[in-house]
Amino acid sequence: MSTEMITLETPRRLRFEIFRFNPEDPSSEPHHQTFELDEQPFMTLYIALNRIREEQDPSLQFDFACRSAICGSCGMLVNGRPRLACNTLTRDLGETIRLEPLPVFKLIGDLSVDTGTWFRGMAEQVGGWIEEKAPFQAHAEEERMDADLAQAIYEGERCIECGCCIAGCGVANVNPDFVGAAGLNRIARFMRDPRDARSEDDWFEVVSDENGVFGCIGLMGCHDVCPKELPLLEQYAYLRRKMLGAAREEERT
Amino acid sequence: MSAAPAEIDRPVSPPTPTPRRARREARVDGAQRRREARRQLRYELISGGSGVALALFMWGHMALVGSILTGARGFDALAGGLEEVYIAQPTVLAITALFLIHAAMASRKIPAQIREHRKLRAVTEPLRVESARSPGHLESSLWVWQVWTGMILLVLGSFHLVLVGFDVFTDTFGVRTGIEAASTQARVSEGLWIVYALLLLCVEFHASTGLYRFAVKWGIGSRLGRPALRRIEHVLLYGFLGLGFLTLAVLAKWIEPPLAFLLGATV
Ligand code: SF4
Ligand code: SF4
Ligand code: FES
């Protein structure tokens, strides 16, 4: 790491091939535009894009807020793979870097997409909120929770809704109602939560149809692409096992 | 399940339900959805379960056919024994049934999956360039190979089952009813070895990959992690491939049975 400053005497000249299209402008045609930039030490795509916008083309559209992989707004296809621009270092990439907006989501312009509408729709579809067992008592002592369980819930809660797993999923690309890995993760998170009133039986039809866990063909693109490294694979297996349990339960009664 | 509680509505929320929600509400009634969900679950279980059963059977099968490594006598004794006590005959029928069920169930999603796969490839084609850094892509190519080997297995496997069916139930190919080393070795060495070599490759790949994917899907051994599961899969794959080709070499009469000394006699 420390040698980097020294070895970068002659910085690489990076070529950015950036997708340009403004759906609002009838004369705009989708195309790739090339920008060149000298690499600087520890340069992220976030830095690079901001420099391009400041120095070369102020009309370039892309989203950022936190620049620390927390807000989930900077997801884009980097050489075809969904990534967060703010935590992708240019030194990990070749000299030519292709940037495109995430598929599946509505394009706002250039690299900027609307993930919010998709995620809201998903949340409504899966019921991605707590349904409390008893009304919340602000001053009462909280019920204790097993540390492992708390950790498992927290793992699911870490999703930043960046949409990388959705863009990288073949099923989500063809079926707009598929809840995707983020949706399955959300379901698993609330299903685990002992404060939630819903039983496995209540979840059954949300989870088990072709828009849920059985729509997924298990190629694990989502798991490998998630920039927050959520245990999507485990969530997915957890749901399958739970649904099997729920079906057995129903058979017995 | 109830609708979104009003208090979580953000000021930017759309005034009308999202299209997705409207579609959800317009969808068939609860009971029907529940039936559909149960059907999906059943399909998954049958295709996965039959696959695992077939894979396990293939290992047992390998042990039986492997008896040729001790020479024709060992092979004949084992086959004859299993036929005498009527284990071989029902097994052939049961495996044929399982084979067909598995093929029907597992192929059910293939057209849709191919469409999804194409679409994804079109969107993220350059992923291939970067494949070294994206193991996710490896999983997708595994899946494509599952489809290909599955289709080859359907053809060659049926052929083999018919052949063995004739062996077990008729005396068409041998001197008596039943599987015999002599007639098997004769036909394998005369050219069928090509078919069997291909069949062997496909079976071992399809079975070990299928088991790996089954484990991943249901979270079996998830504590070990995927890399460990893959290593196990590789050991199984190469182990059985090695054993398989050794057996095939004996059946094709390229080499002498290496374990003939166990029975203390020549072939
Ligand atoms: S699960 Fe991962 S990839 Fe998917 S939206 Fe959440 S943080 Fe992003
Ligand atoms: S495993 Fe594959 S099909 Fe399933 S949600 Fe993830 S990317 Fe989509
Ligand atoms: S800018 Fe917030 S996640 Fe990248």
Side-chain angles (χ1 to χ4, degrees):
Chain A
M1 275 254 236
S2 54
T3 55
E4 169 137 345
M5 297 288 199
I6 308 156
T7 51
L8 256 185
E9 282 155 4
T10 44
R12 289 195 301 170
R13 187 85 181 147
L14 300 176
R15 269 169 62 88
F16 289 90
E17 294 173 5
I18 300 181
F19 178 87
R20 303 298 308 265
F21 178 53
N22 182 0
E24 302 284 305
D25 176 2
S27 67
S28 171
E29 287 282 337
H31 66 284
H32 284 83
Q33 188 179 349
T34 306
F35 297 94
E36 291 197 358
L37 206 60
D38 282 337
E39 188 171 30
Q40 64 195 56
F42 305 107
M43 188 189 232
T44 62
L45 291 177
Y46 161 81
I47 297 171
L49 282 168
N50 274 296
R51 273 189 52 191
I52 292 173
R53 180 157 66 184
E54 262 162 43
E55 297 162 16
Q56 305 185 25
D57 187 344
S59 74
L60 184 63
Q61 296 186 61
F62 55 88
D63 294 319
F64 285 98
C66 72
R67 53 104 187 93
S68 53
I70 285 298
C71 71
S73 55
C74 68
M76 58 184 67
L77 293 183
V78 180
N79 294 335
R81 188 190 209 268
R83 286 178 192 278
L84 291 182
C86 69
N87 77 348
T88 303
L89 290 164
T90 53
R91 70 161 179 228
D92 295 335
L93 303 166
E95 279 176 17
T96 303
I97 300 168
R98 213 143 73 105
L99 301 178
E100 281 138 349
L102 292 181
V104 180
F105 304 106
K106 183 168 172 278
L107 182 70
I108 296 174
D110 301 340
L111 300 175
S112 168
V113 293
D114 170 14
T115 49
T117 305
W118 190 97
F119 274 93
R120 190 192 161 97
M122 177 275 280
E124 285 170 352
Q125 183 172 338
V126 305
W129 49 76
I130 207 99
E131 246 157 57
E132 19 173 46
K133 276 186 177 146
F136 177 60
Q137 305 279 328
H139 300 294
E141 196 184 328
E142 265 186 82
E143 237 178 85
R144 288 182 187 273
M145 189 188 282
D146 183 56
D148 287 344
L149 177 60
Q151 185 62 34
I153 293 175
Y154 174 67
E155 280 296 308
E157 194 66 43
R158 286 196 305 114
C159 170
I160 58 171
E161 304 200 343
C162 63
C164 288
C165 60
I166 307 304
C169 170
V171 182
N173 269 281
V174 283
N175 177 3
D177 286 342
F178 179 54
V179 301
L184 295 174
N185 172 64
R186 187 79 75 94
I187 295 170
R189 181 247 172 274
F190 286 107
M191 214 190 259
R192 281 198 162 98
D193 199 320
R195 294 160 295 190
D196 195 283
R198 287 164 289 189
S199 68
E200 275 144 36
D201 198 52
D202 292 326
W203 287 107
F204 188 66
E205 64 208 46
V206 184
V207 182
S208 292
D209 68 359
E210 76 284 11
N211 297 323
V213 76
F214 296 126
C216 166
I217 54 179
L219 302 183
M220 294 308 142
C222 51
H223 184 96
D224 296 321
V225 123
C226 174
K228 301 302 282 184
E229 295 180 4
L230 258 72
L232 297 175
L233 191 57
E234 283 78 45
Q235 299 288 54
Y236 170 64
Y238 169 82
L239 286 182
R240 281 175 162 260
R241 291 200 304 267
K242 280 284 173 197
M243 287 307 98
L244 186 57
R248 278 227 210 96
E249 195 62 35
E250 202 176 85
E251 219 121 87
R252 229 174 286 142
T253 51
Chain B
M1 209 148 301
S2 62
E7 58 271 28
I8 70 155
D9 274 13
R10 280 157 284 171
V12 288
S13 65
T16 48
T18 52
R20 193 196 267 261
R21 180 157 157 208
R23 276 199 297 274
R24 178 191 170 192
E25 273 154 16
R27 220 173 286 143
V28 280
D29 65 293
Q32 199 172 336
R33 282 190 67 198
R34 186 159 275 265
R35 265 200 303 282
E36 172 59 26
R38 298 187 60 87
R39 213 162 52 85
Q40 293 274 349
L41 181 63
R42 205 156 42 231
Y43 271 133
E44 281 287 317
L45 287 175
I46 295 174
S47 64
S50 58
V52 170
L54 283 169
L56 295 180
F57 167 77
M58 282 320 299
W59 293 345
H61 176 279
M62 179 65 82
L64 297 181
V65 184
S67 63
I68 194 71
L69 296 179
T70 66
R73 267 201 322 161
F75 185 89
D76 280 342
L78 196 57
L82 289 176
E83 281 152 8
E84 212 150 292
V85 293
Y86 290 100
I87 290 182
Q89 295 86 339
T91 304
V92 170
L93 295 180
I95 292 300
T96 307
L98 208 54
F99 176 78
L100 294 176
I101 290 173
H102 181 69
M105 288 296 168
S107 62
R108 174 186 58 97
K109 276 190 178 173
I110 288 180
Q113 292 181 357
I114 286 179
R115 223 178 311 126
E116 281 152 10
H117 196 74
R118 284 233 181 91
K119 172 83 186 221
L120 184 65
R121 283 242 318 250
V123 181
T124 63
E125 178 59 35
L127 249 161
R128 324 212 117 225
V129 187
E130 239 197 321
S131 58
R133 309 192 97 239
S134 55
H137 202 68
L138 182 116
E139 310 274 338
S140 341
S141 37
L142 273 189
W143 171 78
V144 175
W145 280 100
Q146 274 309 75
V147 174
W148 278 111
T149 51
M151 290 197 285
I152 296 172
L153 283 175
L154 184 59
V155 177
L156 299 186
S158 311
F159 167 77
H160 170 70
L161 280 167
V162 168
L163 212 56
V164 172
F166 271 109
D167 275 342
V168 171
F169 295 109
T170 74
D171 56 8
T172 321
F173 298 122
V175 288
R176 61 174 177 86
T177 302
I179 297 172
E180 288 164 84
S183 58
T184 308
Q185 282 189 312
R187 68 185 181 215
V188 170
S189 63
E190 272 158 27
L192 265 189
W193 62 268
I194 303 180
V195 174
Y196 278 111
L198 187 57
L199 191 56
L200 179 65
L201 270 177
C202 291
V203 164
E204 295 309 336
F205 179 89
H206 195 87
S208 57
T209 307
L211 284 177
Y212 164 75
R213 295 226 312 150
F214 184 85
V216 166
K217 270 189 169 180
W218 292 92
I220 299 162
S222 61
R223 288 233 177 116
L224 301 175
R226 257 194 306 167
L229 284 177
R230 278 202 68 83
R231 266 199 300 282
I232 296 175
E233 187 235 300
H234 279 146
V235 169
L236 289 175
L237 174 62
Y238 293 119
F240 279 100
L241 268 184
L243 190 56
F245 274 110
L246 193 61
T247 305
L248 189 61
V250 176
L251 280 175
K253 296 200 251 185
W254 294 332
I255 56 170
E256 290 298 312
L259 301 180
F261 65 87
L262 287 182
L263 296 183
T266 48
V267 197

Short mmCIF file of all heavy atoms in Angstrom, two decimals, chain B residues 204-233:
data_model
loop_
_atom_site.label_atom_id
_atom_site.label_comp_id
_atom_site.label_asym_id
_atom_site.label_seq_id
_atom_site.Cartn_x
_atom_site.Cartn_y
_atom_site.Cartn_z
N GLU B 204 -20.99 -38.18 -14.04
CA GLU B 204 -20.21 -37.74 -12.87
C GLU B 204 -20.27 -36.23 -12.70
O GLU B 204 -20.41 -35.73 -11.59
CB GLU B 204 -18.77 -38.23 -12.97
CG GLU B 204 -18.63 -39.75 -12.90
CD GLU B 204 -19.35 -40.37 -11.71
OE1 GLU B 204 -19.59 -39.68 -10.71
OE2 GLU B 204 -19.70 -41.56 -11.80
N PHE B 205 -20.19 -35.52 -13.81
CA PHE B 205 -20.27 -34.07 -13.72
C PHE B 205 -21.65 -33.64 -13.21
O PHE B 205 -21.78 -32.85 -12.27
CB PHE B 205 -20.00 -33.42 -15.07
CG PHE B 205 -20.08 -31.92 -15.03
CD1 PHE B 205 -18.95 -31.17 -14.73
CD2 PHE B 205 -21.28 -31.26 -15.24
CE1 PHE B 205 -19.02 -29.79 -14.65
CE2 PHE B 205 -21.36 -29.88 -15.16
CZ PHE B 205 -20.23 -29.15 -14.87
N HIS B 206 -22.67 -34.18 -13.84
CA HIS B 206 -24.05 -33.80 -13.52
C HIS B 206 -24.38 -34.14 -12.06
O HIS B 206 -24.99 -33.35 -11.35
CB HIS B 206 -25.00 -34.53 -14.46
CG HIS B 206 -26.39 -33.97 -14.50
ND1 HIS B 206 -26.76 -32.95 -15.33
CD2 HIS B 206 -27.50 -34.30 -13.80
CE1 HIS B 206 -28.03 -32.67 -15.14
NE2 HIS B 206 -28.52 -33.47 -14.21
N ALA B 207 -23.94 -35.31 -11.62
CA ALA B 207 -24.27 -35.75 -10.26
C ALA B 207 -23.54 -34.90 -9.21
O ALA B 207 -24.15 -34.41 -8.27
CB ALA B 207 -23.93 -37.22 -10.07
N SER B 208 -22.25 -34.68 -9.40
CA SER B 208 -21.53 -33.94 -8.36
C SER B 208 -21.95 -32.47 -8.36
O SER B 208 -22.14 -31.88 -7.30
CB SER B 208 -20.01 -34.09 -8.52
OG SER B 208 -19.62 -33.67 -9.80
N THR B 209 -22.14 -31.91 -9.54
CA THR B 209 -22.60 -30.52 -9.60
C THR B 209 -24.00 -30.39 -9.02
O THR B 209 -24.30 -29.44 -8.28
CB THR B 209 -22.61 -30.02 -11.05
OG1 THR B 209 -21.33 -30.24 -11.61
CG2 THR B 209 -22.94 -28.54 -11.12
N GLY B 210 -24.85 -31.36 -9.34
CA GLY B 210 -26.21 -31.34 -8.83
C GLY B 210 -26.23 -31.40 -7.31
O GLY B 210 -26.97 -30.66 -6.66
N LEU B 211 -25.41 -32.27 -6.75
CA LEU B 211 -25.36 -32.38 -5.29
C LEU B 211 -24.86 -31.08 -4.67
O LEU B 211 -25.39 -30.61 -3.67
CB LEU B 211 -24.45 -33.54 -4.87
CG LEU B 211 -25.02 -34.93 -5.03
CD1 LEU B 211 -23.98 -35.97 -4.66
CD2 LEU B 211 -26.27 -35.11 -4.16
N TYR B 212 -23.86 -30.51 -5.30
CA TYR B 212 -23.32 -29.24 -4.81
C TYR B 212 -24.41 -28.17 -4.83
O TYR B 212 -24.61 -27.44 -3.85
CB TYR B 212 -22.13 -28.83 -5.67
CG TYR B 212 -21.72 -27.39 -5.53
CD1 TYR B 212 -21.04 -26.95 -4.39
CD2 TYR B 212 -22.01 -26.46 -6.53
CE1 TYR B 212 -20.67 -25.63 -4.26
CE2 TYR B 212 -21.65 -25.14 -6.40
CZ TYR B 212 -20.98 -24.72 -5.27
OH TYR B 212 -20.63 -23.40 -5.14
N ARG B 213 -25.12 -28.08 -5.94
CA ARG B 213 -26.16 -27.05 -6.04
C ARG B 213 -27.30 -27.32 -5.06
O ARG B 213 -27.90 -26.39 -4.51
CB ARG B 213 -26.68 -26.97 -7.47
CG ARG B 213 -25.60 -26.50 -8.45
CD ARG B 213 -26.09 -25.44 -9.39
NE ARG B 213 -27.34 -25.78 -10.00
CZ ARG B 213 -28.23 -24.88 -10.38
NH1 ARG B 213 -28.01 -23.61 -10.18
NH2 ARG B 213 -29.35 -25.27 -10.96
N PHE B 214 -27.59 -28.59 -4.87
CA PHE B 214 -28.64 -28.95 -3.91
C PHE B 214 -28.23 -28.48 -2.51
O PHE B 214 -29.03 -27.87 -1.78
CB PHE B 214 -28.86 -30.46 -3.94
CG PHE B 214 -29.99 -30.92 -3.06
CD1 PHE B 214 -31.29 -30.92 -3.54
CD2 PHE B 214 -29.76 -31.36 -1.76
CE1 PHE B 214 -32.35 -31.34 -2.74
CE2 PHE B 214 -30.81 -31.78 -0.96
CZ PHE B 214 -32.10 -31.77 -1.45
N ALA B 215 -26.98 -28.74 -2.17
CA ALA B 215 -26.48 -28.34 -0.85
C ALA B 215 -26.54 -26.82 -0.71
O ALA B 215 -26.98 -26.30 0.32
CB ALA B 215 -25.05 -28.85 -0.66
N VAL B 216 -26.14 -26.12 -1.73
CA VAL B 216 -26.15 -24.66 -1.67
C VAL B 216 -27.57 -24.13 -1.52
O VAL B 216 -27.86 -23.27 -0.69
CB VAL B 216 -25.49 -24.06 -2.93
CG1 VAL B 216 -25.79 -22.59 -3.05
CG2 VAL B 216 -23.98 -24.28 -2.88
N LYS B 217 -28.47 -24.68 -2.31
CA LYS B 217 -29.86 -24.20 -2.30
C LYS B 217 -30.53 -24.37 -0.95
O LYS B 217 -31.27 -23.51 -0.51
CB LYS B 217 -30.68 -24.99 -3.33
CG LYS B 217 -30.70 -24.39 -4.70
CD LYS B 217 -31.71 -25.14 -5.54
CE LYS B 217 -32.00 -24.46 -6.84
NZ LYS B 217 -32.98 -25.20 -7.63
N TRP B 218 -30.28 -25.50 -0.33
CA TRP B 218 -30.97 -25.78 0.93
C TRP B 218 -30.11 -25.49 2.14
O TRP B 218 -30.51 -25.77 3.28
CB TRP B 218 -31.47 -27.23 0.95
CG TRP B 218 -32.56 -27.44 -0.05
CD1 TRP B 218 -32.41 -27.87 -1.34
CD2 TRP B 218 -33.96 -27.21 0.12
NE1 TRP B 218 -33.62 -27.92 -1.97
CE2 TRP B 218 -34.60 -27.53 -1.10
CE3 TRP B 218 -34.74 -26.76 1.19
CZ2 TRP B 218 -35.97 -27.39 -1.28
CZ3 TRP B 218 -36.11 -26.64 1.01
CH2 TRP B 218 -36.71 -26.96 -0.22
N GLY B 219 -28.95 -24.95 1.90
CA GLY B 219 -28.11 -24.57 3.02
C GLY B 219 -27.53 -25.74 3.78
O GLY B 219 -27.28 -25.65 4.97
N ILE B 220 -27.32 -26.86 3.09
CA ILE B 220 -26.69 -28.01 3.76
C ILE B 220 -25.18 -27.78 3.77
O ILE B 220 -24.58 -27.49 2.74
CB ILE B 220 -27.02 -29.32 3.02
CG1 ILE B 220 -28.53 -29.52 3.03
CG2 ILE B 220 -26.31 -30.50 3.66
CD1 ILE B 220 -29.03 -30.50 2.01
N GLY B 221 -24.60 -27.89 4.92
CA GLY B 221 -23.15 -27.67 5.03
C GLY B 221 -22.76 -26.22 4.77
O GLY B 221 -21.65 -25.95 4.37
N SER B 222 -23.69 -25.29 5.02
CA SER B 222 -23.36 -23.89 4.73
C SER B 222 -22.30 -23.37 5.70
O SER B 222 -21.61 -22.41 5.42
CB SER B 222 -24.61 -23.02 4.79
OG SER B 222 -25.17 -23.08 6.08
N ARG B 223 -22.13 -24.07 6.83
CA ARG B 223 -21.06 -23.68 7.76
C ARG B 223 -19.70 -23.85 7.13
O ARG B 223 -18.77 -23.14 7.44
CB ARG B 223 -21.11 -24.56 9.01
CG ARG B 223 -22.28 -24.20 9.85
CD ARG B 223 -21.96 -23.91 11.28
NE ARG B 223 -23.22 -23.53 11.87
CZ ARG B 223 -23.81 -24.19 12.82
NH1 ARG B 223 -23.23 -25.23 13.35
NH2 ARG B 223 -24.97 -23.80 13.30
N LEU B 224 -19.60 -24.87 6.28
CA LEU B 224 -18.30 -25.13 5.65
C LEU B 224 -17.96 -24.02 4.67
O LEU B 224 -16.80 -23.74 4.42
CB LEU B 224 -18.35 -26.45 4.87
CG LEU B 224 -18.68 -27.68 5.69
CD1 LEU B 224 -18.81 -28.89 4.78
CD2 LEU B 224 -17.59 -27.93 6.72
N GLY B 225 -18.99 -23.41 4.09
CA GLY B 225 -18.75 -22.36 3.10
C GLY B 225 -18.68 -22.97 1.71
O GLY B 225 -18.44 -24.16 1.54
N ARG B 226 -18.93 -22.13 0.75
CA ARG B 226 -19.00 -22.62 -0.62
C ARG B 226 -17.67 -23.17 -1.14
O ARG B 226 -17.67 -24.18 -1.83
CB ARG B 226 -19.53 -21.53 -1.55
CG ARG B 226 -20.97 -21.79 -1.90
CD ARG B 226 -21.43 -20.95 -3.04
NE ARG B 226 -21.20 -19.55 -2.79
CZ ARG B 226 -21.29 -18.64 -3.75
NH1 ARG B 226 -21.61 -19.00 -4.96
NH2 ARG B 226 -21.08 -17.38 -3.48
N PRO B 227 -16.54 -22.51 -0.85
CA PRO B 227 -15.28 -23.06 -1.37
C PRO B 227 -15.05 -24.49 -0.89
O PRO B 227 -14.65 -25.35 -1.67
CB PRO B 227 -14.22 -22.11 -0.80
CG PRO B 227 -14.94 -20.84 -0.54
CD PRO B 227 -16.34 -21.23 -0.17
N ALA B 228 -15.36 -24.75 0.38
CA ALA B 228 -15.17 -26.10 0.91
C ALA B 228 -16.11 -27.08 0.21
O ALA B 228 -15.72 -28.18 -0.16
CB ALA B 228 -15.40 -26.12 2.41
N LEU B 229 -17.36 -26.66 0.02
CA LEU B 229 -18.31 -27.52 -0.67
C LEU B 229 -17.81 -27.85 -2.07
O LEU B 229 -17.93 -28.96 -2.56
CB LEU B 229 -19.68 -26.85 -0.75
CG LEU B 229 -20.51 -26.82 0.53
CD1 LEU B 229 -21.80 -26.05 0.30
CD2 LEU B 229 -20.81 -28.23 1.00
N ARG B 230 -17.25 -26.84 -2.71
CA ARG B 230 -16.74 -27.06 -4.06
C ARG B 230 -15.58 -28.03 -4.06
O ARG B 230 -15.45 -28.84 -4.97
CB ARG B 230 -16.30 -25.73 -4.69
CG ARG B 230 -17.44 -24.95 -5.26
CD ARG B 230 -16.94 -23.98 -6.30
NE ARG B 230 -16.44 -24.69 -7.48
CZ ARG B 230 -17.20 -25.12 -8.45
NH1 ARG B 230 -18.49 -24.92 -8.40
NH2 ARG B 230 -16.69 -25.73 -9.47
N ARG B 231 -14.75 -27.94 -3.04
CA ARG B 231 -13.62 -28.87 -2.97
C ARG B 231 -14.13 -30.29 -2.81
O ARG B 231 -13.66 -31.21 -3.48
CB ARG B 231 -12.68 -28.49 -1.82
CG ARG B 231 -11.53 -27.58 -2.28
CD ARG B 231 -10.40 -27.61 -1.29
NE ARG B 231 -10.80 -27.16 0.04
CZ ARG B 231 -10.97 -25.88 0.38
NH1 ARG B 231 -10.77 -24.93 -0.51
NH2 ARG B 231 -11.34 -25.55 1.58
N ILE B 232 -15.12 -30.45 -1.94
CA ILE B 232 -15.71 -31.78 -1.76
C ILE B 232 -16.26 -32.28 -3.10
O ILE B 232 -16.03 -33.41 -3.51
CB ILE B 232 -16.85 -31.73 -0.70
CG1 ILE B 232 -16.26 -31.35 0.65
CG2 ILE B 232 -17.57 -33.06 -0.65
CD1 ILE B 232 -17.31 -31.16 1.73
N GLU B 233 -16.94 -31.37 -3.77
CA GLU B 233 -17.52 -31.73 -5.06
C GLU B 233 -16.42 -32.19 -6.03
O GLU B 233 -16.57 -33.19 -6.73
CB GLU B 233 -18.24 -30.50 -5.64
CG GLU B 233 -19.03 -30.77 -6.88
CD GLU B 233 -18.63 -29.87 -8.01
OE1 GLU B 233 -18.76 -28.64 -7.86
OE2 GLU B 233 -18.18 -30.38 -9.04
#
